[in-house]
């Protein structure tokens, strides 16, 4: 089997596709592991990458995908309760197989302050981090603030195209492409950052009202911005400002610039 500079796990999702594109653009040999690899003519397929079917939850296809891979980046997600074993059991199986295969370096994408919330999804992500950092291989965690794409979903929760803003919440959104660059850097260069957990945030922080106004402007719409509550653990996390990283501004694309391109 041909060697690969990089194996991207979850490489067909939002972050994974950005990582694959960034790595291919650098001329790297990129292999993608996914439960459902895109077909040759599928829109989400990145030309120049090698796609393999596999499932980290069961171990199917793992050995073959890891053989000859120098480094791996894990961008898997599992927001739904039924999907969370992907983050926990999957991480355990993947890191054990990677160590056995002689993978030199592993990088996992995570969320800023994910270990400071009892929200179920965040607990699973925190466990995923622990499994990587406790594995028998060189591992790094990259914690990012919320993607522009995620923040934009909160701007149009109301019907009839009206804009919404979560009460008493600020976001510091970052472009997924900016995150992808950091992930690839970390996978390629062990000396890129000495800390085992790296934090990165977007270039600007805004109230959700400001973000909603930018969303309206980009679509040429007018009207009131409707304040909405966000109950539960996630709402408390956001209102406490734990989703922000003001001292770790790494992104280059603002929310307004991202909207102009989307």
């Amino acid at each position: 089997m041909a060697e690969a500079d990089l194996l991207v796990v979850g490489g067909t999702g939002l972050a994974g596709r950005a990582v694959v594109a960034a790595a291919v653009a650098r001329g790297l040999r990129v292999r993608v592991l996914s439960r459902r690899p895109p077909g040759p003519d599928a829109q989400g397929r990145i030309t120049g990458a090698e796609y393999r079917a596999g499932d980290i939850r069961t171990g199917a296809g793992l050995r073959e995908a890891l053989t000859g891979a120098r480094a791996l980046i894990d961008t898997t997600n599992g927001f739904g309760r039924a999907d969370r074993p992907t983050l926990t059991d999957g991480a355990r199986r993947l890191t054990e197989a990677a160590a056995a295969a002689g993978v030199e370096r592993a990088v996992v994408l995570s969320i800023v302050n994910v270990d400071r919330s009892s929200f179920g999804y965040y607990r699973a992500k925190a466990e995923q981090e622990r499994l990587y950092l406790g594995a028998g291989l060189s591992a790094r965690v990259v914690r990012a603030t919320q993607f522009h794409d995620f923040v934009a979903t909160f701007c149009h929760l109301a019907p009839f195209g009206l804009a919404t803003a979560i009460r008493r919440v600020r976001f510091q959104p970052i472009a997924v492409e900016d995150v992808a660059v950091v992930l690839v850097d970390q996978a390629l260069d062990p000396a890129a950052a000495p800390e085992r957990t790296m934090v990165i945030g977007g270039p600007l922080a805004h109230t959700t009202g400001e973000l909603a106004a930018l969303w309206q402007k980009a679509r040429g719409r007018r009207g009131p911005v409707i304040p909405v509550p966000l109950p539960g653990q996630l709402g408390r996390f956001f209102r406490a400002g734990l989703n922000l990283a003001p001292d770790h501004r790494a992104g280059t694309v603002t929310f307004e610039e991202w909207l102009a391109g989307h």
Side-chain angles (χ1 to χ4, degrees):
M1 181 183 293
E3 291 188 352
D5 296 305
L6 186 62
L7 172 66
V8 182
V9 183
T12 56
L14 176 66
R17 289 195 306 272
V19 169
V20 174
V24 168
R26 296 192 193 188
L28 300 175
R29 297 166 296 178
V30 182
R31 187 179 297 156
V32 180
L33 180 69
S34 174
R35 279 181 286 170
R36 293 178 290 274
D41 300 320
Q43 186 175 5
R45 190 181 182 97
I46 307 297
T47 302
E50 172 195 359
Y51 287 81
R52 291 186 172 272
D55 190 340
I56 63 175
R57 297 176 304 178
T58 64
L62 272 189
R63 184 174 63 180
E64 295 81 2
L66 288 163
T67 299
R70 290 177 48 211
L72 75 85
I73 295 176
D74 186 351
T75 64
T76 53
N77 207 352
F79 196 81
R81 182 173 299 179
D83 298 323
R84 287 174 194 162
T86 300
L87 304 176
T88 54
D89 298 340
R92 183 179 295 105
R93 204 168 266 112
L94 177 57
T95 53
E96 289 174 354
V103 171
E104 297 174 10
R105 189 162 175 84
V107 182
V108 60
L109 173 61
S110 192
I111 304 165
V112 168
N113 287 322
V114 74
D115 56 343
R116 297 182 62 183
S117 173
S118 58
F119 181 51
Y121 169 61
Y122 279 23
R123 286 203 308 270
K125 287 294 293 182
E127 175 64 15
Q128 183 190 41
E129 288 186 355
R130 286 191 290 271
L131 288 165
Y132 267 87
L133 294 178
L137 71 167
S138 174
R140 289 292 186 275
V141 173
V142 175
R143 289 180 171 183
T145 55
Q146 282 68 37
F147 296 153
H148 291 313
D149 310 71
F150 174 85
V151 171
T153 62
F154 285 107
C155 295
H156 55 95
L157 295 175
F160 312 115
L162 296 175
T164 53
I166 305 171
R167 293 174 181 149
R168 307 197 313 277
V169 168
R170 299 169 73 232
F171 283 114
Q172 186 185 339
I174 190 170
V176 66
E177 292 81 6
D178 285 336
V179 176
V181 169
V182 174
L183 290 169
V184 176
D185 286 344
Q186 284 290 298
L188 296 180
D189 184 6
E195 63 271 21
R196 299 196 72 191
T197 299
M198 181 180 187
V199 177
I200 57 174
L204 296 173
H206 295 278
T207 66
T208 53
E210 292 168 340
L211 293 165
L214 290 171
W215 183 83
Q216 283 185 315
K217 178 183 175 183
R219 283 155 180 75
R221 295 177 179 174
R222 295 181 180 180
V225 174
I226 302 172
V228 296
L230 183 62
Q233 295 291 339
L234 186 59
R236 285 191 283 274
F237 180 86
F238 288 158
R239 286 190 295 276
L242 295 173
N243 59 319
L244 305 175
D247 297 328
H248 300 276
R249 300 177 190 270
T252 61
V253 180
T254 67
F255 186 65
E256 186 172 16
E257 290 168 340
W258 179 84
L259 285 169
H262 290 75

